[in-house]
Amino acid sequence: MYVGDCKVEITRKRIKHLYLRIKEPGCVHVSAPKHWPGDYIQSVIEARSEWIKEQQQKLLQRQETTPRAQSYEDHAEIVVEGQSYCLKAVRKSAFPQLSAVTLCRETKTLTLSMSDPSNLEARKKQLDKWLRAQLKERIAQLLEHWQPIMGVAASDFGVRKMKTRWGSCNIRTHKIWLNFDLMSKAAESLEYVVVHELTHLYERYHNKRFYRLMDKYLPDWRERKQRLNS
Ligand SMILES: [Zn+2]
């Protein structure tokens, strides 16, 4: 069973009471007495659904507010679309044929071509600018694909750094915002967030109707969400 979009795993044990444990996002573990009927267990869990949702939210926020600092030294790991790349920077004058950022899938390297490769702040700037442009292009393609299928349209979209959310949707203006950090996530994850925000153009709240629409358009959205947050 599910509470909202959170999967419930029930284990029957020789115990007297029911116990709920939340250890990972998107999943709650329940230990229930062996002799309790299934529908009774379900009703007890449902009665705790608000608490479960709150705990899930807290867990996600804890994870999202403690990111490890990104290094921009040579050989630092940069994650793009779920793949790790090894960062290096070269002097532009020595490699005039290179563009500002070159991502090589074969060698798993990400090369910055710049006038002063020793400037770490400049490395970050150049890389962020490129990542933002890549992400915007991917989002534009996804919107082009999904809007006609879903019969809704965002008025505009933007990318920004967000601490606690992957995306947001302004119901009034129909503008969608997506988290800059989605650039490091796999393509399916980004697609999930885009469809989620487009669904808000139909339904403002995360209610039954919202989840029914998600199930209709993206039946595997729960797995995508779990992967995104793990
Ligand atoms: Zn939402």
Side-chain angles (χ1 to χ4, degrees), residues 134-163:
Q134 297 289 310
L135 182 57
K136 282 196 146 179
E137 201 180 306
R138 286 174 59 198
I139 295 165
Q141 284 169 2
L142 284 165
L143 288 174
E144 214 171 290
H145 173 79
W146 279 102
Q147 288 179 155
I149 293 173
M150 295 177 68
V152 288
S155 62
D156 191 11
F157 73 91
V159 167
R160 67 180 178 200
K161 302 210 176 198
M162 289 186 252
K163 275 225 162 79

Side-chain angles (χ1 to χ4, degrees), residues 196-209:
H196 179 113
E197 299 311 331
L198 285 176
T199 303
H200 276 307
L201 297 178
Y202 275 114
E203 175 55 56
R204 176 173 189 170
Y205 300 104
H206 296 145
N207 55 18
K208 285 213 170 106
R209 177 168 181 249

Side-chain angles (χ1 to χ4, degrees), residues 67-73 76-79 85 87 124 127-128:
R68 64 196 163 80
Q70 173 68 56
S71 160
Y72 295 93
E73 303 275 357
E77 182 194 26
I78 306 287
V79 182
Y85 294 88
L87 181 70
K124 173 180 165 37
L127 182 59
D128 277 5

